[in-house]
Amino acid sequence: MGAPEWELEFYEEDGREPVLDFLRGLDEVKEQALAAALSNVLAYEGIGVCGSSWGKWVQDAPGIFEFRVRHDAGTILRQRGLPIPEELEERSGEILLRVFCHAHGKKIVLLLAGYDKGKEPSTRRQNAEIKRAKQRLTRWKAVQDRLAKQARPIGGARKRRSKRRPD
């Protein structure tokens, strides 16, 4: 495997990165599975996961896709043809994780929200996470727009030096 084509970026709000907090709050087996999936699947395939069992576009949430993790870290590495560290050989468990994402710029995936669907499989929880992802994306876009406006020159014109002919 060459270098990943996609850069993963954690949505940040009030100095926190909610998806990173979610990742760190998982039990060890699930944390390793999500970390392996993010770095060995999403970072290589980006929005291409939507054409596979790894993801799908979210209905009624333009620009947001769902990244699905159903395997332990050892299985993910094995599927990708990568060596499996000894400590991951024996670890497995029931895994059903979701991360809601937005692709932007030059192959960047923004990680907006995540949850453990295995623990909370209800449609209500899924819809709450999609709503949260949509809200975060709206806030993120507003910040990006504000930053872009601040970077533009006032009046949109640059000063030009006049070229004078020597007399």
Side-chain angles (χ1 to χ4, degrees):
M1 270 168 84
E5 289 188 36
W6 292 80
E7 179 183 338
L8 304 182
E9 183 177 277
F10 291 90
Y11 169 82
E12 190 176 330
E13 183 174 74
D14 300 325
R16 291 183 42 250
E17 296 169 318
V19 174
L20 191 56
D21 293 344
F22 162 66
L23 172 76
R24 290 176 176 155
L26 294 168
D27 68 44
E28 191 175 7
V29 171
K30 290 177 182 177
E31 180 182 355
Q32 290 170 339
L34 184 53
L38 290 171
S39 60
N40 294 291
V41 179
L42 189 58
Y44 282 87
E45 296 184 27
I47 58 174
V49 299
C50 293
S52 73
S53 63
W54 289 99
K56 72 172 190 168
W57 290 103
V58 177
Q59 193 173 11
D60 299 323
I64 296 176
F65 67 95
E66 175 184 68
F67 181 56
R68 302 165 162 187
V69 180
R70 297 182 176 115
H71 307 289
D72 62 77
T75 302
I76 292 166
L77 295 174
R78 193 176 303 105
Q79 287 177 344
R80 306 307 271 182
L82 297 169
I84 302 163
E86 202 172 298
E87 67 271 9
L88 296 181
E89 286 282 348
E90 301 299 317
R91 296 182 179 232
S92 66
E94 185 98 5
I95 296 172
L96 193 58
L97 305 172
R98 298 291 185 259
V99 177
F100 296 96
C101 311
H102 169 71
H104 71 95
K106 293 186 178 189
K107 293 194 170 191
I108 300 171
V109 175
L110 179 65
L111 308 175
L112 296 164
Y115 81 107
D116 185 340
K117 189 170 183 169
K119 275 188 177 177
E120 298 181 66
S122 73
T123 303
R124 173 183 247 167
R125 176 63 194 267
Q126 174 97 356
N127 290 336
E129 291 302 325
I130 291 169
K131 181 179 179 181
R132 181 173 289 127
K134 288 166 71 173
Q135 291 168 338
R136 288 176 178 164
L137 181 56
T138 299
R139 285 193 293 268
W140 180 84
K141 285 181 175 181
V143 168
Q144 298 307 305
D145 289 345
R146 193 168 50 249
L147 292 173
K149 285 178 185 174
Q150 290 173 354
R152 285 189 212 132
I154 297 173
R158 294 185 304 189
K159 288 185 178 180
R160 284 187 161 167
R161 286 184 149 180
S162 61
K163 293 183 179 179
R164 294 180 60 190
R165 284 193 207 185
D167 293 329

